[in-house]
Every structure is written in structure tokens, then in C-alpha cells.
Amino acid sequence: MASKLVQLQAKACQATSFVAKHGGTYYKQMIEKNKQFIQEPATIEKCNELSKQLFYTRLASIPGRTETFWKEVNHVKGIWKNRQDLKVEDAGIAALFGLEVFCWFCAGEIVGRGFTFTGYNV
């Protein structure tokens, strides 16, 4: 176990030195590549304006997202009405999707409790 810790420390030191050498170059390249998204001059007023634009743009997109949601619901209702025509593959995909959603829910609950398992008497 101690040897694994030493190996992990060595890898962490290598990663740190790599970032120290190449991090600045990467940062400069990324900023240069995305220069069109940088607001000059970066003032508090401009940041507040951009924040409000994002907020109200998101609010304005709610009706479109609601419409899309109801289209999806109607599609699922149509599939449910014609469930006798449903193929095994489609049912399997739906079951796997439901299982994935449930697993993400469980993982979120565990993370929310601080990675503790409660309610189990072991």
C-alpha cells in the first residue's frame, strides 16, 4: 500500500511539473483562439449587462422548451396507445433508460448525504 502511495505521489509531481511547464502556453493559446468571445473592456457594468442578457434569454426560451416537452409527452402517449406494436428492442432501450435515470438518482442521493449509506444495518 505504501508503494502505491509513493507511485501516486510521483505521478502527481509529474503532472504538476507538466502543468507548470505547459499550462501558461495552453492558457495563451486558448485565449487567443477564443478572442472573439472576450468583452473588452471588462467592466462591472458590462458583466452585469451580459449576466442580464443570459438570464432573460433563458427566460425567453421557456415557451419553446415547454412546447418541445409537450410534444415529447404526446409522442410517449402515442407509443403507449400502440404498445402492442412495440418491438422488444424499443422496450429494452426504454427499460435501460429508466434504469439509468434511477441509478443517477441513487448516486445523487448518496452524494447529497456526503457519500454515506444510511438505513442499512450491516
Side-chain angles (χ1 to χ4, degrees):
M1 185 68 165
S3 66
K4 295 276 185 189
L5 185 60
V6 171
Q7 288 176 349
L8 184 62
Q9 262 183 330
K11 292 282 186 187
C13 287
Q14 287 176 351
T16 303
S17 66
F18 180 81
V19 169
K21 282 183 188 174
H22 303 290
T25 306
Y26 173 74
Y27 174 78
K28 289 175 187 171
Q29 287 174 348
M30 181 186 63
I31 292 297
E32 189 62 37
K33 180 179 171 186
N34 296 300
K35 200 170 206 153
Q36 73 270 19
F37 301 115
I38 298 172
Q39 184 64 46
E40 292 292 338
T43 61
I44 292 174
E45 293 81 16
K46 193 61 179 176
C47 289
N48 287 336
E49 179 187 345
L50 291 171
S51 174
K52 285 181 181 179
Q53 284 178 348
L54 175 63
F55 176 74
Y56 289 109
T57 300
R58 297 280 182 154
L59 277 180
S61 71
I62 288 175
R65 286 190 266 158
T66 305
E67 181 183 333
T68 303
F69 170 76
W70 286 115
K71 283 181 184 176
E72 291 284 334
V73 168
N74 290 333
H75 180 70
V76 170
K77 284 181 184 177
I79 290 174
W80 186 252
K81 284 181 185 176
N82 300 322
R83 63 183 174 268
Q84 65 273 8
D85 299 335
L86 195 63
K87 294 185 261 176
V88 175
E89 294 87 12
D90 295 334
I93 290 171
L96 284 175
F97 177 75
L99 181 64
E100 181 182 8
V101 168
F102 179 73
C103 289
W104 278 112
F105 170 78
C106 291
E109 286 290 314
I110 292 168
V111 169
R113 287 192 302 260
F115 296 97
T116 58
F117 294 96
T118 59
Y120 296 106
N121 294 325
V122 180

Short mmCIF file of all heavy atoms in Angstrom, two decimals, residues 24-56:
data_model
loop_
_atom_site.label_atom_id
_atom_site.label_comp_id
_atom_site.label_asym_id
_atom_site.label_seq_id
_atom_site.Cartn_x
_atom_site.Cartn_y
_atom_site.Cartn_z
N GLY A 24 0.82 27.67 -18.99
CA GLY A 24 0.78 29.05 -19.48
C GLY A 24 0.61 29.11 -20.99
O GLY A 24 -0.17 29.92 -21.50
N THR A 25 1.31 28.24 -21.69
CA THR A 25 1.19 28.20 -23.15
C THR A 25 -0.22 27.80 -23.57
O THR A 25 -0.81 28.39 -24.47
CB THR A 25 2.21 27.19 -23.73
OG1 THR A 25 3.51 27.53 -23.24
CG2 THR A 25 2.20 27.21 -25.24
N TYR A 26 -0.75 26.78 -22.89
CA TYR A 26 -2.11 26.33 -23.20
C TYR A 26 -3.11 27.45 -22.95
O TYR A 26 -4.01 27.68 -23.76
CB TYR A 26 -2.47 25.11 -22.36
CG TYR A 26 -3.90 24.69 -22.50
CD1 TYR A 26 -4.34 24.05 -23.66
CD2 TYR A 26 -4.83 24.96 -21.50
CE1 TYR A 26 -5.66 23.69 -23.80
CE2 TYR A 26 -6.15 24.60 -21.64
CZ TYR A 26 -6.56 23.96 -22.79
OH TYR A 26 -7.87 23.61 -22.93
N TYR A 27 -2.95 28.15 -21.83
CA TYR A 27 -3.85 29.27 -21.50
C TYR A 27 -3.81 30.34 -22.58
O TYR A 27 -4.85 30.82 -23.05
CB TYR A 27 -3.46 29.85 -20.14
CG TYR A 27 -4.22 31.09 -19.78
CD1 TYR A 27 -5.52 31.01 -19.30
CD2 TYR A 27 -3.64 32.35 -19.93
CE1 TYR A 27 -6.23 32.15 -18.97
CE2 TYR A 27 -4.35 33.49 -19.59
CZ TYR A 27 -5.64 33.39 -19.11
OH TYR A 27 -6.33 34.52 -18.80
N LYS A 28 -2.60 30.71 -23.01
CA LYS A 28 -2.46 31.75 -24.03
C LYS A 28 -3.09 31.31 -25.35
O LYS A 28 -3.77 32.10 -26.02
CB LYS A 28 -0.99 32.10 -24.24
CG LYS A 28 -0.41 32.87 -23.08
CD LYS A 28 1.08 33.09 -23.26
CE LYS A 28 1.68 33.72 -22.01
NZ LYS A 28 3.12 33.78 -22.05
N GLN A 29 -2.88 30.05 -25.74
CA GLN A 29 -3.48 29.54 -26.98
C GLN A 29 -5.00 29.54 -26.89
O GLN A 29 -5.69 29.91 -27.84
CB GLN A 29 -2.98 28.12 -27.26
CG GLN A 29 -1.56 28.04 -27.71
CD GLN A 29 -1.09 26.60 -27.84
OE1 GLN A 29 -1.74 25.67 -27.39
NE2 GLN A 29 0.08 26.42 -28.46
N MET A 30 -5.53 29.12 -25.75
CA MET A 30 -6.98 29.07 -25.58
C MET A 30 -7.58 30.47 -25.64
O MET A 30 -8.60 30.70 -26.31
CB MET A 30 -7.33 28.42 -24.25
CG MET A 30 -8.83 28.30 -24.01
SD MET A 30 -9.25 27.68 -22.38
CE MET A 30 -8.58 28.95 -21.33
N ILE A 31 -6.95 31.44 -24.99
CA ILE A 31 -7.45 32.81 -25.00
C ILE A 31 -7.39 33.38 -26.42
O ILE A 31 -8.32 34.04 -26.89
CB ILE A 31 -6.66 33.68 -24.01
CG1 ILE A 31 -6.96 33.25 -22.57
CG2 ILE A 31 -6.96 35.16 -24.20
CD1 ILE A 31 -8.40 33.42 -22.15
N GLU A 32 -6.29 33.13 -27.13
CA GLU A 32 -6.14 33.63 -28.50
C GLU A 32 -7.19 33.00 -29.42
O GLU A 32 -7.77 33.69 -30.26
CB GLU A 32 -4.73 33.34 -29.00
CG GLU A 32 -4.40 33.99 -30.32
CD GLU A 32 -4.44 35.52 -30.25
OE1 GLU A 32 -4.04 36.08 -29.22
OE2 GLU A 32 -4.89 36.13 -31.24
N LYS A 33 -7.43 31.72 -29.25
CA LYS A 33 -8.40 31.01 -30.09
C LYS A 33 -9.82 31.52 -29.85
O LYS A 33 -10.63 31.56 -30.78
CB LYS A 33 -8.31 29.51 -29.77
CG LYS A 33 -9.24 28.65 -30.57
CD LYS A 33 -9.05 27.19 -30.18
CE LYS A 33 -10.10 26.31 -30.78
NZ LYS A 33 -10.00 24.94 -30.31
N ASN A 34 -10.14 31.90 -28.62
CA ASN A 34 -11.49 32.33 -28.27
C ASN A 34 -11.58 33.83 -28.03
O ASN A 34 -12.43 34.29 -27.26
CB ASN A 34 -11.94 31.57 -27.02
CG ASN A 34 -12.05 30.10 -27.29
OD1 ASN A 34 -12.82 29.69 -28.15
ND2 ASN A 34 -11.28 29.31 -26.57
N LYS A 35 -10.74 34.57 -28.69
CA LYS A 35 -10.67 36.03 -28.50
C LYS A 35 -11.99 36.72 -28.85
O LYS A 35 -12.32 37.74 -28.25
CB LYS A 35 -9.53 36.59 -29.35
CG LYS A 35 -9.06 37.93 -28.89
CD LYS A 35 -7.79 38.33 -29.60
CE LYS A 35 -7.08 39.29 -28.69
NZ LYS A 35 -5.67 39.31 -28.87
N GLN A 36 -12.73 36.17 -29.81
CA GLN A 36 -13.97 36.82 -30.23
C GLN A 36 -15.02 36.82 -29.12
O GLN A 36 -15.96 37.59 -29.17
CB GLN A 36 -14.53 36.17 -31.50
CG GLN A 36 -15.14 34.80 -31.30
CD GLN A 36 -14.15 33.67 -31.47
OE1 GLN A 36 -12.95 33.85 -31.40
NE2 GLN A 36 -14.66 32.47 -31.68
N PHE A 37 -14.86 35.96 -28.10
CA PHE A 37 -15.83 35.90 -27.02
C PHE A 37 -15.46 36.78 -25.84
O PHE A 37 -16.22 36.89 -24.88
CB PHE A 37 -15.98 34.45 -26.53
CG PHE A 37 -16.42 33.51 -27.61
CD1 PHE A 37 -15.58 32.50 -28.04
CD2 PHE A 37 -17.66 33.64 -28.20
CE1 PHE A 37 -15.98 31.63 -29.03
CE2 PHE A 37 -18.06 32.78 -29.20
CZ PHE A 37 -17.22 31.77 -29.62
N ILE A 38 -14.31 37.39 -25.89
CA ILE A 38 -13.84 38.22 -24.78
C ILE A 38 -14.38 39.64 -24.96
O ILE A 38 -14.25 40.23 -26.04
CB ILE A 38 -12.30 38.23 -24.71
CG1 ILE A 38 -11.79 36.81 -24.44
CG2 ILE A 38 -11.81 39.19 -23.64
CD1 ILE A 38 -10.29 36.67 -24.53
N GLN A 39 -14.97 40.16 -23.90
CA GLN A 39 -15.54 41.50 -23.93
C GLN A 39 -14.49 42.50 -23.45
O GLN A 39 -13.96 42.38 -22.36
CB GLN A 39 -16.77 41.55 -23.01
CG GLN A 39 -17.48 42.86 -23.05
CD GLN A 39 -18.06 43.17 -24.41
OE1 GLN A 39 -18.67 42.33 -25.04
NE2 GLN A 39 -17.86 44.37 -24.87
N GLU A 40 -14.16 43.44 -24.30
CA GLU A 40 -13.20 44.49 -23.95
C GLU A 40 -13.91 45.83 -23.91
O GLU A 40 -14.65 46.14 -24.84
CB GLU A 40 -12.06 44.53 -24.97
CG GLU A 40 -11.16 43.34 -24.96
CD GLU A 40 -10.30 43.22 -23.71
OE1 GLU A 40 -10.08 44.25 -23.03
OE2 GLU A 40 -9.88 42.11 -23.40
N PRO A 41 -13.75 46.63 -22.96
CA PRO A 41 -13.07 46.42 -21.69
C PRO A 41 -13.97 45.63 -20.74
O PRO A 41 -15.19 45.73 -20.81
CB PRO A 41 -12.84 47.84 -21.15
CG PRO A 41 -13.98 48.62 -21.72
CD PRO A 41 -14.27 48.00 -23.07
N ALA A 42 -13.37 44.85 -19.89
CA ALA A 42 -14.13 44.01 -18.95
C ALA A 42 -14.48 44.84 -17.72
O ALA A 42 -13.74 44.90 -16.76
CB ALA A 42 -13.31 42.80 -18.55
N THR A 43 -15.63 45.52 -17.80
CA THR A 43 -16.06 46.36 -16.69
C THR A 43 -17.19 45.67 -15.93
O THR A 43 -17.83 44.74 -16.44
CB THR A 43 -16.57 47.72 -17.20
OG1 THR A 43 -17.69 47.48 -18.05
CG2 THR A 43 -15.49 48.46 -17.96
N ILE A 44 -17.44 46.12 -14.74
CA ILE A 44 -18.51 45.56 -13.93
C ILE A 44 -19.86 45.78 -14.61
O ILE A 44 -20.71 44.89 -14.63
CB ILE A 44 -18.51 46.19 -12.51
CG1 ILE A 44 -17.25 45.74 -11.77
CG2 ILE A 44 -19.76 45.82 -11.74
CD1 ILE A 44 -17.05 46.41 -10.44
N GLU A 45 -20.02 46.95 -15.22
CA GLU A 45 -21.28 47.26 -15.90
C GLU A 45 -21.53 46.29 -17.06
O GLU A 45 -22.64 45.79 -17.25
CB GLU A 45 -21.29 48.71 -16.42
CG GLU A 45 -21.29 49.76 -15.34
CD GLU A 45 -19.91 50.04 -14.76
OE1 GLU A 45 -18.89 49.64 -15.37
OE2 GLU A 45 -19.85 50.65 -13.67
N LYS A 46 -20.47 46.03 -17.84
CA LYS A 46 -20.61 45.12 -18.97
C LYS A 46 -20.90 43.70 -18.49
O LYS A 46 -21.72 42.99 -19.08
CB LYS A 46 -19.33 45.15 -19.83
CG LYS A 46 -19.51 44.49 -21.17
CD LYS A 46 -20.59 45.19 -21.98
CE LYS A 46 -20.77 44.56 -23.32
NZ LYS A 46 -21.85 45.16 -24.09
N CYS A 47 -20.26 43.27 -17.40
CA CYS A 47 -20.51 41.94 -16.85
C CYS A 47 -21.95 41.82 -16.37
O CYS A 47 -22.60 40.80 -16.58
CB CYS A 47 -19.54 41.63 -15.71
SG CYS A 47 -17.85 41.37 -16.27
N ASN A 48 -22.46 42.88 -15.72
CA ASN A 48 -23.85 42.87 -15.27
C ASN A 48 -24.80 42.82 -16.46
O ASN A 48 -25.82 42.11 -16.42
CB ASN A 48 -24.14 44.10 -14.41
CG ASN A 48 -23.52 44.00 -13.04
OD1 ASN A 48 -23.25 42.90 -12.55
ND2 ASN A 48 -23.27 45.14 -12.43
N GLU A 49 -24.48 43.55 -17.51
CA GLU A 49 -25.32 43.54 -18.72
C GLU A 49 -25.35 42.15 -19.35
O GLU A 49 -26.42 41.65 -19.71
CB GLU A 49 -24.80 44.56 -19.73
CG GLU A 49 -25.59 44.60 -21.01
CD GLU A 49 -24.96 45.51 -22.05
OE1 GLU A 49 -24.07 46.32 -21.71
OE2 GLU A 49 -25.35 45.38 -23.23
N LEU A 50 -24.19 41.53 -19.46
CA LEU A 50 -24.13 40.19 -20.04
C LEU A 50 -24.88 39.17 -19.17
O LEU A 50 -25.55 38.27 -19.70
CB LEU A 50 -22.67 39.76 -20.23
CG LEU A 50 -21.90 40.51 -21.30
CD1 LEU A 50 -20.42 40.15 -21.24
CD2 LEU A 50 -22.47 40.21 -22.67
N SER A 51 -24.79 39.33 -17.87
CA SER A 51 -25.50 38.45 -16.95
C SER A 51 -27.01 38.58 -17.14
O SER A 51 -27.72 37.58 -17.20
CB SER A 51 -25.11 38.79 -15.51
OG SER A 51 -25.88 38.05 -14.61
N LYS A 52 -27.49 39.81 -17.27
CA LYS A 52 -28.92 40.03 -17.50
C LYS A 52 -29.34 39.48 -18.86
O LYS A 52 -30.43 38.91 -18.99
CB LYS A 52 -29.25 41.52 -17.40
CG LYS A 52 -29.25 42.03 -15.98
CD LYS A 52 -29.61 43.50 -15.93
CE LYS A 52 -29.57 43.99 -14.50
NZ LYS A 52 -29.88 45.42 -14.41
N GLN A 53 -28.50 39.65 -19.88
CA GLN A 53 -28.83 39.11 -21.20
C GLN A 53 -28.98 37.59 -21.14
O GLN A 53 -29.92 37.04 -21.70
CB GLN A 53 -27.74 39.47 -22.21
CG GLN A 53 -27.78 40.89 -22.68
CD GLN A 53 -26.65 41.20 -23.65
OE1 GLN A 53 -25.71 40.43 -23.80
NE2 GLN A 53 -26.74 42.35 -24.31
N LEU A 54 -28.07 36.93 -20.44
CA LEU A 54 -28.16 35.48 -20.31
C LEU A 54 -29.43 35.08 -19.58
O LEU A 54 -30.15 34.19 -20.02
CB LEU A 54 -26.93 34.93 -19.58
CG LEU A 54 -26.94 33.44 -19.27
CD1 LEU A 54 -26.95 32.64 -20.58
CD2 LEU A 54 -25.76 33.05 -18.42
N PHE A 55 -29.73 35.76 -18.46
CA PHE A 55 -30.91 35.43 -17.67
C PHE A 55 -32.19 35.58 -18.49
O PHE A 55 -33.02 34.67 -18.54
CB PHE A 55 -30.96 36.32 -16.42
CG PHE A 55 -32.19 36.12 -15.60
CD1 PHE A 55 -32.33 34.97 -14.83
CD2 PHE A 55 -33.21 37.06 -15.60
CE1 PHE A 55 -33.47 34.78 -14.06
CE2 PHE A 55 -34.35 36.86 -14.84
CZ PHE A 55 -34.49 35.73 -14.07
N TYR A 56 -32.35 36.72 -19.16
CA TYR A 56 -33.58 36.96 -19.90
C TYR A 56 -33.65 36.14 -21.19
O TYR A 56 -34.75 35.79 -21.64
CB TYR A 56 -33.77 38.46 -20.16
CG TYR A 56 -34.12 39.18 -18.88
CD1 TYR A 56 -33.21 40.02 -18.26
CD2 TYR A 56 -35.35 38.96 -18.27
CE1 TYR A 56 -33.54 40.66 -17.07
CE2 TYR A 56 -35.67 39.58 -17.08
CZ TYR A 56 -34.76 40.43 -16.48
OH TYR A 56 -35.09 41.04 -15.29
#
